[in-house]
Amino acid sequence: MSVQSFTHAAATLLNISNIQGDILVGLQKDAEKFLFFTITDVPAFKARLPMLAALVTSTKSVMDREQDIKAEKASGSGTRLDLRGLNLGFTAPGLDKLLGNNPVTTSAMIDSSFVAGAQARAAVLGDELDAWLPAFQGTKIDGVMLVTGPDETKVNSHATSIVQLLGSAIAVVHEELGQTRPHRGFEHFGFQDGISQPGIRGLTPPMNPTDPEQGLPGQDLIHPGEFVFGYPGQVDRFDPSFPDATKETTGPIVEPPFVWMNDGAYMVFRRLEQRVLAFQKFVKDESRVLGMDEGLLAARLVGRWPSGAPLVLAPLQDDAALGADATKNNHFEFQHEDASQRRCPYAAHIRKTYPRDDLNDAPGIPALAGEGGEASVQTRRLRRAGIPFGREVNDSEVIGSEASRGLMFVCYQTSIIDQFEFVQKDWANNDTFVFGKGRPNGSGQVTPGHDPLIGQVAGDLRVVDELVPNYPTGNTRSSINITQRFVQATGAGYFFMPSIAALLHGPLSQ
Ligand code: HEM
C-alpha cells in the first residue's frame, strides 16, 4: 500500500467525524469481510440501526488510527495493533425498505445507475452475467457491511458480534472475504496496487514543494464533492457555465438527491476474478511472438512495473527504489512526457483509467484543448479501496481450473454513471480512447485499443496497440489481439454509504 498521510488541521472543512472511514482515506485492513444482507424486519432494523451506527468507523477514527500505527512503528515494539472497523451501505431497494413513503426513486437527482442496480447495468458494462455468482443476481441484497481487521480470525469475531447485535432484523445472504496477499500491497498479477489515488482538497496535505495543488508529487488535489455529497466538486470543461475551467477551478456544491444523503457516497463493489495462470501464459507466449522481454510486455499492459515504478519514468526496466518511493512513483504526466506512447501505451491500464493530461491536445474538440482536457479527466476520478481475495497460486493448478482469486474491487464517488461506469465503459472498453492520438514521428492516427486488464467487449476480441516499445526512437507498429478475459466480473453491487448522523438519527432509523 502507498504511504499516504492525511492531516486533521486541514480537514476542518470536511465533516470527518460524520463521513464513513473507507470513503476518503480507507479503513485499515489486512482482512475484510463483506457481509451482504437482506432486511427481514424493518422496524427491528430501524430500532437497532443507532447501535450499529455507534460501531461505524469514521474518517476521523481512521486518521487517528494512522497516527497510532505510526507511533507503534516508531516505538519498535513490533506489535500489530488490533484495529477493527465497520462501514455500512445500502442498495436502492434497501434504502426504499427503510424510507417507506419517501423512496429514493422519487428524486429526479438520484443516480439512475444506482437505482437500476449493478445487475441491470451488467450488459452495458460488458459483464457476462453467466459468470456471476447466484448470490449477486436477483433482489436479495439490501445492504453490505464492510468488516475489517488485522486478520481473518479477528474480522470473523467482529463480524459475529455485529450480526448478533442485529439479531433477526437481517439475514446474511452472502459473504466474501478479502485478504492482503503475503506480498502485502500487491495484487494477484504481481503488481503493486493502491499507489495512485486522487488527493482530497482540505484533507490531503499539499506535500509537493513545487506545486501546492498537489498532495504527494503528481497527486492532483480534487474537490471533495467528487467523492462525498455536500462539498464543492470539479467542473468539466464541457459545462458551458465554466468555459475557462481548469482542473483547479472550484465547482458548485455537489448536492445530494436528499439532504440526509450529505456526507455520504456511492460505493461500487465488484468481485473480479483474476486468471493468473492464463495471464502469465499469455504474457510468455506473446512476448515470444513479439520478440520482447516478458517483464516488459506485462509492464506495458499495466503501465507500471511490478514494483510500481511507472513506465513513463522507467520505460525499459523496473526500478524498485522508484516503485517504493511515494514522493516519486506518481510524479509524471502522459501527453507532456510521452506524447506518442513510446514509453507507455495509450491502452495500458493506468493510462486508460486515469489519462492525466492526455486529453489536453485532443484535436477537433476545442473545449478540451489546453488545460480543459485535464479538467474534464478530473471529473472521472475514483477513490479505490479494494482488497485481494483467494489463495496464492498452487503448483497443482492448471489453466481452465484455476482457484477463485482476484480483487474485491471497491470504489467511491458521487456519480456512478459519470465516474465508475464512465471509466469502465467509455474508456477501458472503448478501443478508440484516448482519442486523437498519433503515431510516433507524426505518422498517422492510432487506435489505442482496449484496456488489457479490465476492458470487456462482446465476443472477447480485444486489441491493444504498441506493446513493442518504440523507445527511445523508432516507429515499428505492433498491434496484438487478446481473445480471452484475464479479469472476469463474478458479481457486483451498487451501494450508498450514508453519513454516520444519517444512520444514527436520520430517516433510515426513524
Ligand atoms: C482485477 C482487476 C484489476 C487489477 C488487477 C488492477 C490493477 C491495477 C494496478 C496494478 C494499478 C497500478 C497501481 C496504482 O496506481 O494504484 C491500478 C491502478 C488503477 N486502476 Fe486498476 N485494477 C483492476 C481493476 C480496476 C477497475 C475495475 C477499475 C475501474 C473501472 C480500475 C481503475 C484503476 C485506476 C483509476 C487506477 C489508478 C490509475 C492512476 O491514477 O494512475 N482498476 N490498477
Side-chain angles (χ1 to χ4, degrees):
M1 294 288 146
S2 66
V3 183
Q4 177 71 83
S5 55
F6 291 84
T7 167
H8 277 128
T12 43
L13 284 175
L14 280 156
N15 197 351
I16 55 172
S17 301
N18 200 28
I19 301 168
Q20 297 200 43
D22 208 36
I23 300 169
L24 296 178
V25 182
L27 296 169
Q28 287 82 9
K29 48 189 141 182
D30 275 320
E32 177 168 27
K33 198 146 216 188
F34 297 84
L35 296 173
F36 299 94
F37 62 87
T38 194
I39 301 170
T40 42
D41 181 337
V42 172
F45 185 82
K46 280 173 167 273
R48 287 168 201 172
L49 191 53
M51 281 185 288
L52 188 65
L55 297 178
V56 166
T57 317
S58 69
T59 303
K60 181 171 185 312
S61 307
V62 168
M63 290 163 69
D64 289 343
R65 289 173 175 192
E66 284 297 300
Q67 299 309 319
D68 297 344
I69 293 170
K70 268 190 197 150
E72 195 62 41
K73 275 190 186 147
S75 77
S77 73
T79 312
R80 195 76 204 260
L81 294 175
D82 182 4
L83 301 172
R84 304 184 194 195
L86 169 68
N87 273 192
L88 170 65
F90 299 93
T91 57
L95 288 179
D96 280 358
K97 263 192 191 175
L98 298 175
L99 291 168
N101 291 335
N102 204 8
V104 283
T105 38
T106 55
S107 167
M109 281 165 68
I110 191 105
D111 188 292
S112 59
S113 291
F114 171 67
V115 171
Q119 187 180 354
R121 301 292 294 164
V124 179
L125 299 179
D127 283 3
E128 294 169 329
L129 271 181
D130 292 357
W132 276 34
L133 305 182
F136 292 101
Q137 309 207 28
T139 52
K140 298 174 288 288
I141 298 177
D142 288 328
V144 63
M145 289 185 275
L146 315 185
V147 185
T148 55
D151 59 47
E152 184 181 350
T153 310
K154 294 198 170 77
V155 163
N156 279 340
S157 122
H158 196 36
T160 304
S161 58
I162 290 163
V163 171
Q164 273 169 3
L165 176 83
L166 290 167
S168 58
I170 63 156
V172 174
V173 289
H174 185 65
E175 50 183 79
E176 293 283 354
L177 178 72
Q179 275 179 302
T180 50
R181 295 184 54 219
H183 198 183
R184 193 167 189 275
F186 287 67
E187 52 73 43
H188 278 287
F189 292 145
F191 292 80
Q192 193 188 165
D193 202 357
I195 299 172
S196 175
Q197 292 273 29
I200 312 292
R201 278 183 196 274
L203 191 69
T204 312
M207 284 165 65
N208 181 354
T210 61
D211 189 344
E213 305 293 344
Q214 298 191 332
L216 287 164
Q219 183 188 35
D220 289 344
L221 294 178
I222 302 299
H223 292 286
E226 295 298 306
F227 311 106
V228 191
F229 283 114
Y231 299 94
Q234 295 292 121
V235 282
D236 197 311
R237 190 60 175 271
F238 285 121
D239 183 338
S241 323
F242 295 89
D244 300 321
T246 69
K247 61 184 169 150
E248 283 91 30
T249 307
T250 308
I253 304 268
V254 180
E255 302 281 1
F258 295 92
V259 173
W260 64 264
M261 288 171 106
N262 273 314
D263 281 335
Y266 292 119
M267 178 251 213
V268 169
F269 169 86
R270 285 171 74 73
R271 185 184 189 279
L272 300 176
E273 278 190 0
Q274 291 176 254
R275 309 275 146 80
V276 175
L277 292 179
F279 178 78
Q280 288 169 344
K281 180 173 185 328
F282 172 83
V283 168
K284 191 173 187 175
D285 292 350
E286 200 63 37
S287 63
R288 286 198 187 130
V289 174
L290 294 170
M292 66 189 288
D293 178 69
E294 257 179 74
L296 178 59
L297 174 59
R300 284 180 74 84
L301 298 173
V302 176
R304 290 185 185 269
W305 294 91
S307 76
L311 279 173
V312 170
L313 302 180
L316 291 180
Q317 59 191 34
D318 201 352
D319 178 343
L322 171 63
D325 187 343
T327 66
K328 297 199 174 118
N329 64 14
N330 206 28
H331 198 193
F332 62 94
E333 296 288 351
F334 287 122
Q335 155 69 16
H336 187 64
E337 285 164 74
D338 186 30
S340 48
Q341 64 176 344
R342 288 187 197 275
R343 289 166 179 263
C344 178
Y346 302 131
H349 177 59
I350 66 161
R351 198 161 183 170
K352 274 283 190 185
T353 52
Y354 175 38
R356 300 179 187 227
D357 63 341
D358 249 340
L359 289 185
N360 284 355
D361 71 340
I365 308 178
L368 291 178
E371 276 276 282
E374 204 169 347
S376 291
V377 166
Q378 300 296 12
T379 64
R380 311 291 181 194
R381 303 298 305 276
L382 313 170
R383 275 290 311 178
R384 293 175 297 135
I387 187 166
F389 71 91
R391 59 174 161 77
E392 295 297 292
V393 175
N394 174 314
D395 283 348
S396 63
E397 281 181 51
V398 290
I399 293 177
S401 58
E402 293 187 44
S404 179
R405 65 171 63 78
L407 181 68
M408 300 293 179
F409 176 86
V410 170
C411 72
Y412 296 98
Q413 56 266 292
T414 44
S415 170
I416 294 177
I417 255 191
D418 293 336
Q419 291 170 270
F420 163 70
E421 286 193 351
F422 193 92
V423 171
Q424 177 72 55
K425 178 169 64 68
D426 294 76
W427 289 355
N429 295 358
N430 177 1
D431 63 341
T432 62
F433 185 80
V434 177
F435 36 76
K437 293 290 176 190
R439 295 196 46 72
N441 309 327
S443 54
Q445 289 275 301
V446 73
T447 303
H450 305 99
D451 182 322
L453 294 195
I454 62 159
Q456 308 192 130
V457 292
D460 279 349
L461 173 59
R462 293 179 293 150
V463 181
V464 183
D465 192 62
E466 213 84 338
L467 287 169
V468 179
N470 278 306
Y471 180 81
T473 55
N475 190 8
T476 308
R477 184 82 200 271
S478 58
S479 175
I480 65 162
N481 292 342
I482 306 179
T483 55
Q484 54 186 314
R485 294 184 186 203
F486 308 121
V487 171
Q488 175 81 59
T490 53
Y494 290 164
F495 300 90
F496 179 73
M497 315 281 281
S499 71
I500 295 171
L503 296 170
L504 277 172
H505 36 68
L508 300 178
S509 55
Q510 281 165 1

